[in-house]
Amino acid sequence: MKLNREEKEIVRRKFCTYCIKILQGEALNYLDELKQKRKREVNFSELLLKDKEDLYHYDHYDLAENFAVMGRQVPVYDEWISEALKKLPAKKREIILMLYFLDMTEQEIADCMKLVQSTVHYHKDDSLRRLKKMME
């Protein structure tokens, strides 16, 4: 069947109208799904602190080894790591504990211990090398 130019234009317009209706329907379905999802789900950022604490449980064992750093007790629960830390010299152990357990930067540690930052960096690298060797 051959169509003339006017008939082709009519078919094209009907097809465009059909496509627009389908896309509008899909968009409405998607928006409805999002609305339903928002009713069922809650973002973590919207949870209160007490609600977040109900989502997990952390077992505290008496097996933790406590290390004193800057007047604070730092618990280390992994026996393997605590044994390796005990074998380090006191200064190197303090630097590792401050870096990885108290989340301090090298510069903050240097300021606390009255050292140069490069010295703290050297002690950190040397300590990590020793720990790696002990734990292999």
Side-chain angles (χ1 to χ4, degrees):
M1 169 190 327
K2 290 194 176 186
L3 299 175
N4 62 25
R5 203 164 40 107
E6 285 181 24
E7 292 171 331
K8 285 182 182 178
E9 184 63 26
I10 291 171
V11 170
R12 188 187 68 77
R13 287 184 185 190
K14 284 185 179 181
F15 181 72
C16 286
T17 304
Y18 173 76
C19 288
I20 290 170
K21 285 181 183 178
I22 295 296
L23 290 173
Q24 285 174 338
E26 286 298 315
L28 290 175
N29 287 342
Y30 177 69
L31 292 174
D32 286 342
E33 283 180 31
L34 287 178
K35 187 177 179 181
Q36 292 299 320
K37 191 175 183 181
R38 272 188 239 119
K39 287 180 183 177
R40 292 187 313 263
E41 298 176 358
V42 177
N43 287 335
F44 280 118
S45 60
E46 296 171 359
L47 287 176
L48 299 173
L49 184 59
K50 68 179 184 68
D51 295 333
K52 288 181 187 176
E53 290 173 353
D54 291 339
L55 295 176
Y56 67 91
H57 181 74
Y58 184 77
D59 292 333
H60 291 281
Y61 298 106
D62 294 332
L63 303 174
E65 183 76 36
N66 288 314
F67 293 93
V69 180
M70 294 176 41
R72 294 172 61 182
Q73 291 296 316
V74 177
V76 177
Y77 294 97
D78 190 299
E79 186 179 343
W80 199 28
I81 293 173
S82 65
E83 289 302 318
L85 285 170
K86 285 181 192 176
K87 294 177 185 174
L88 286 178
K91 183 186 254 184
K92 293 182 186 295
R93 179 177 44 241
E94 282 186 22
I95 289 173
I96 291 296
L97 289 169
M98 287 176 175
L99 275 168
Y100 295 103
F101 290 84
L102 299 180
D103 293 325
M104 296 175 71
T105 64
E106 289 181 359
Q107 188 59 53
E108 290 171 337
I109 295 169
D111 294 341
C112 287
M113 298 181 87
K114 296 180 179 33
L115 297 170
V116 180
Q117 188 265 332
S118 60
T119 305
V120 172
H121 183 77
Y122 166 76
H123 283 300
K124 177 192 82 167
D125 283 350
D126 187 48
S127 299
L128 291 175
R129 212 174 300 112
R130 286 182 182 199
L131 287 171
K132 182 179 177 184
K133 207 180 281 187
M134 283 184 236
M135 297 176 87
E136 283 180 340

